Amino acid sequence: MSEYKTIKILSIAVSKYKDDLRDFFGQYPKEDIHFEIDDDNLVINLRQLDFPAFKNNAGLVRSNNGLNKVLDTIVENIENIKSYGLKGSKRLYVGYNKERKVKNRKGKEQKRGLYYYAQNHNFSEQNNILPENFVNKIITGNSAQVLKKFPDNSVDLIFTSPPYNFGLDYDNHEDGTDWNDYFDKLFSVFKECIRVLKYGGRIIVNVQPLFSDYIPIHHIISNFFMTEKLIWKGEIVWDKHNWNCKYTAWGSWKSPSNPYLKYTWEFLEIFSKGSLKKQGERENIDITADEFKKLVVAKWDIAPERKMKEYGHPAMFPENLASSAMKLFSYRGDIILDPFNGAGTTTAVAKKLGRNYVGIDISEKYNKKAKKRLSDVQKELTLLNKK
Ligand SMILES: C[S@@+](CC[C@H](N)C(=O)[O-])C[C@H]1O[C@@H](n2cnc3c(N)ncnc32)[C@H](O)[C@@H]1O
């Protein structure tokens, strides 16, 4: 394999721009990108590049000798390369796809069987329309009861973070009960979630196990969905880069007797109902190529929500987490449900991204916040439309 990806741009009479091009390319490490001139043809040798920055820089060059046209042609040629890897902000054009190949992969897959635990499900493929009175609404109540009023197969994506039984100070419910009781209540909501999810719809549950109780909540929840015959689409590690316990909580300090493990991340467990493929129109996709390449790597580095005090809620996730999940797993115009909507992060992000939403929370106080956030989003959108 060549060390560089080579682009040949033929007959654009580049010789007279040699010095200008040398200046322009001089901004980039030679081992990342450099050019050669061969007669009147331009040869670009490319290994890696922060392409959006390169395009921007090329756009900033002002000249009246035709250099802009040459730079535009270079940008266009690089932009047309659709296969690349990502490393930080740079696109990798060589050496990113040297994976070990398994021979007869499809045959072996068939022999093993795909998602054997979800075969023979009874999910109907007939999707239904969610009645208007639930669309773009914030509803107060226990989701296990509220969702009973929704038709089967009427929601595209459920994005949620349930209470974790950590003993947090929520507005009007106990967060620290016997584990069996906790899972009974949680699963009564999730059962309804599965029913209202469309065929091909996804449910994404953000969960942080209570490590100090030695209860792997993320495994127990995953096992529940698999027993209910949903397909485990995968797991994303949300790395918040903060410690979930004090530096001094070592368990047994400097001894193998019983060291305490520390975590800087939470999980997103993702499940599909009936099919891994989700129907949607091409024009309703809003994820860019770079966002897609970044987000399919299942470790997201996203800072935790810093404004919980301001919103008056003890356990929020950040908007960036919700928008990443929505762009990767839903289409514009889809219906997004959060049955534990809290201060309304999911519903505010859904509105910003042109999705429909329905948020349910047991607390009227949190729902007021959620509604206020939606009206703020509406104001922002109105301002943007005026510009
Ligand atoms: C972890 S918080 C969700 C926070 C939310 N993701 C945010 O960013 O604001 C869980 C929420 O579930 C709500 N809740 C607990 N049990 C509920 C139930 N049975 N039905 C509806 N909401 C419930 C709590 O009031 C709490 O706001």
Side-chain angles (χ1 to χ4, degrees):
M1 189 194 59
S2 136
E3 240 192 300
Y4 286 95
K5 182 163 188 73
T6 305
I7 308 167
K8 281 199 175 117
I9 305 175
L10 304 178
S11 313
I12 54 166
V14 287
S15 300
K16 65 174 174 170
Y17 304 114
K18 199 170 181 175
D19 290 340
D20 295 318
L21 287 172
R22 197 173 287 135
D23 286 347
F24 183 77
F25 278 87
Q27 307 175 73
Y28 300 92
K30 209 166 174 233
E31 57 276 16
D32 283 5
I33 184 169
H34 59 268
F35 75 95
E36 291 156 31
I37 290 179
D38 165 20
D39 289 333
D40 249 351
N41 305 322
L42 179 68
V43 180
I44 308 278
N45 294 308
L46 185 59
R47 198 206 307 259
Q48 55 180 9
L49 188 65
D50 181 340
F51 176 70
F54 181 87
K55 186 175 178 180
N56 192 40
N57 283 347
L60 293 175
V61 172
R62 297 275 159 262
S63 80
N64 46 19
N65 64 356
L67 175 67
N68 290 87
K69 255 196 149 166
V70 174
L71 288 175
D72 285 351
T73 311
I74 295 171
V75 164
E76 197 184 314
N77 272 269
I78 299 180
E79 197 159 33
N80 282 340
I81 305 172
K82 297 288 181 232
S83 278
Y84 53 82
L86 283 180
K87 188 178 168 199
S89 62
K90 286 189 179 173
R91 293 183 183 181
L92 307 183
Y93 293 96
V94 288
Y96 60 90
N97 54 358
K98 284 192 282 179
E99 280 174 29
R100 195 157 51 100
K101 294 270 182 287
V102 173
K103 281 189 199 138
N104 187 21
R105 192 173 59 82
K106 279 266 165 230
K108 286 176 182 163
E109 229 169 57
Q110 257 174 14
K111 199 168 156 205
R112 287 195 301 262
L114 293 174
Y115 38 83
Y116 67 93
Y117 52 86
Q119 300 296 342
N120 306 321
H121 62 74
N122 285 321
F123 299 130
S124 161
E125 290 188 36
Q126 173 64 52
N127 288 334
N128 297 307
I129 292 173
L130 186 67
E132 280 295 312
N133 53 322
F134 298 122
V135 181
N136 296 336
K137 294 282 171 353
I138 299 292
I139 302 168
T140 304
N142 179 344
S143 283
Q145 264 100 55
V146 175
L147 286 173
K148 288 216 159 67
K149 299 176 198 149
F150 287 33
D152 296 353
N153 293 29
S154 55
V155 163
D156 292 279
L157 173 74
I158 299 173
F159 186 71
T160 197
S161 157
Y164 299 153
N165 212 25
F166 279 13
L168 292 182
D169 261 338
Y170 283 115
D171 174 37
N172 62 347
H173 77 94
E174 178 86 43
D175 183 52
T177 168
D178 165 75
W179 281 107
N180 284 316
D181 183 38
Y182 167 79
F183 285 117
D184 280 353
K185 284 187 182 139
L186 188 63
F187 294 161
S188 66
V189 175
F190 283 160
K191 269 207 166 182
E192 285 304 308
C193 286
I194 295 173
R195 186 185 60 76
V196 304
L197 200 59
K198 284 185 185 170
Y199 194 86
R202 283 94 186 237
I203 174 158
I204 306 178
V205 182
N206 161 226
V207 49
Q208 180 180 19
L210 188 51
F211 294 105
S212 62
D213 276 21
Y214 299 92
I215 309 281
I217 309 178
H218 56 319
H219 294 311
I220 297 172
I221 289 177
S222 295
N223 188 51
F224 166 79
F225 283 116
M226 287 161 69
T227 309
E228 295 292 321
K229 296 198 177 297
L230 264 72
I231 306 168
W232 182 68
K233 170 114 183 88
E235 174 180 83
I236 289 168
V237 167
W238 165 29
D239 201 339
K240 302 182 288 183
H241 293 282
N242 68 342
W243 302 106
N244 69 1
C245 62
K246 291 185 191 112
Y247 268 98
T248 46
W250 305 109
S252 61
W253 165 248
K254 214 175 154 304
S255 155
S257 144
N258 190 10
Y260 188 77
L261 298 173
K262 293 161 192 255
Y263 301 82
T264 63
W265 57 88
E266 300 191 12
F267 299 91
L268 300 184
E269 298 296 335
I270 308 155
F271 292 88
S272 290
K273 178 170 163 183
S275 163
L276 288 167
K277 280 204 179 139
K278 180 163 187 347
Q279 303 289 339
E281 301 296 330
R282 252 200 168 276
E283 69 259 25
N284 288 328
I285 297 171
D286 56 359
I287 191 162
T288 65
D290 279 352
E291 283 170 336
F292 187 85
K293 290 197 172 198
K294 195 171 158 202
L295 294 179
V296 291
V297 178
K299 180 175 157 305
W300 295 354
D301 294 317
I302 298 178
E305 176 58 64
R306 306 255 180 235
K307 292 193 201 150
M308 293 198 221
K309 265 209 176 117
E310 191 182 304
Y311 285 114
H313 192 287
M316 297 168 65
F317 48 56
E319 294 202 358
N320 208 352
L321 188 77
S323 60
S324 302
M326 278 180 220
K327 281 192 168 185
L328 189 58
F329 292 110
S330 72
Y331 298 83
R332 243 190 255 119
D334 276 359
I335 298 202
I336 316 288
L337 162 71
D338 189 339
F340 301 105
N341 195 40
T345 311
T346 303
T347 44
V349 171
K351 187 172 172 73
K352 271 187 203 173
L353 294 181
R355 272 79 173 156
N356 293 299
Y357 56 82
V358 46
I360 308 169
D361 202 282
I362 207 157
S363 156
E364 182 64 37
K365 184 175 146 201
Y366 299 150
N367 280 341
K368 275 193 183 142
K369 284 279 167 201
K371 285 181 190 164
K372 164 84 174 63
R373 277 174 92 176
L374 285 165
S375 77
D376 290 346
V377 173
Q378 183 57 53
K379 279 180 205 150
E380 276 170 38
L381 293 175
T382 314
L383 265 177
L384 271 177
N385 283 341
K386 272 190 190 154
K387 278 186 187 165

